[in-house]
Amino acid sequence: MLYVVTGPPAAGKSSWIEAHATARDIVIDLDRITVALTGPGAPHWNHDPIRQRVAQRARYAAIDEACRHLDKVDVYLIHTMPKAKALAQYKRLQARIVVVDPGRDIVMERIRAMRSPAMERVASRWYGQRARSRSATGGQAMPQSSRAW
């Protein structure tokens, strides 16, 4: 099974996966990939553009390969804001989409405490996109709260 975990930055997507995935599962998380590809002491967030680009390429390769094995393993994929093309692919793969959203106020508070100010723009974009998609679907989406902080 493919689980696509989406939500704004600092929502708790990684924490949701930690609570649900097992050691036998595959977890594709851009932050984890970036940290794995950088030297000791690298930050867990706010990576520079070169490292981010290298990690993004590794993420695409990991997604392609992992999706070939969905009959044998569960795959947990963090995708903050999937576009229509990606959503169509996930639908073809019969993925379960999990939205982790503890609420805008909590997300913005976490970003101010733990992330770069640029992530506030990403979160605002996520919430704007979410509002537009809810109005288009009649508000039928059901968000999944993250763990208690």
Side-chain angles (χ1 to χ4, degrees):
M1 166 71 71
L2 173 62
Y3 297 88
V4 178
V5 184
T6 184
K13 298 179 295 291
S14 296
S15 296
W16 188 92
I17 289 173
E18 295 249 344
H20 292 86
T22 69
R24 295 177 305 279
D25 299 327
I26 295 171
V27 175
I28 303 172
D29 175 343
L30 186 60
D31 288 332
R32 287 173 66 172
I33 292 169
T34 306
V35 169
L37 295 173
T38 56
H44 284 246
W45 302 285
N46 306 330
H47 309 289
D48 72 67
I50 293 172
R51 285 162 191 79
Q52 195 76 18
R53 184 175 175 95
V54 170
Q56 190 71 8
R57 298 258 179 151
R59 178 181 174 269
Y60 291 139
I63 292 168
D64 287 344
E65 186 60 31
C67 286
R68 294 182 181 142
H69 305 284
L70 292 174
D71 58 329
K72 298 175 196 80
V73 297
D74 286 340
V75 175
Y76 291 81
L77 168 63
I78 292 180
H79 197 155
T80 298
M81 286 189 287
K83 294 187 171 136
K85 183 177 179 181
L87 288 171
Q89 175 68 13
Y90 299 149
K91 185 176 181 178
R92 282 191 297 278
L93 294 169
Q94 299 178 336
R96 176 175 170 217
I97 307 293
V98 177
V99 179
V100 179
D101 178 16
R104 186 184 190 110
D105 292 340
I106 292 170
V107 164
M108 293 305 188
E109 181 181 318
R110 290 177 186 171
I111 289 171
R112 284 189 288 277
M114 302 185 300
R115 306 285 176 93
S116 85
M119 289 294 106
E120 287 187 48
R121 288 189 304 275
V122 175
S124 293
R125 205 169 76 229
W126 188 89
Y127 281 107
Q129 179 184 36
R130 184 103 175 123
R132 286 187 300 278
S133 70
R134 277 188 180 165
S135 65
T137 63
Q140 295 173 346
M142 178 63 114
Q144 170 75 40
S145 296
S146 67
R147 69 182 167 105
W149 289 79

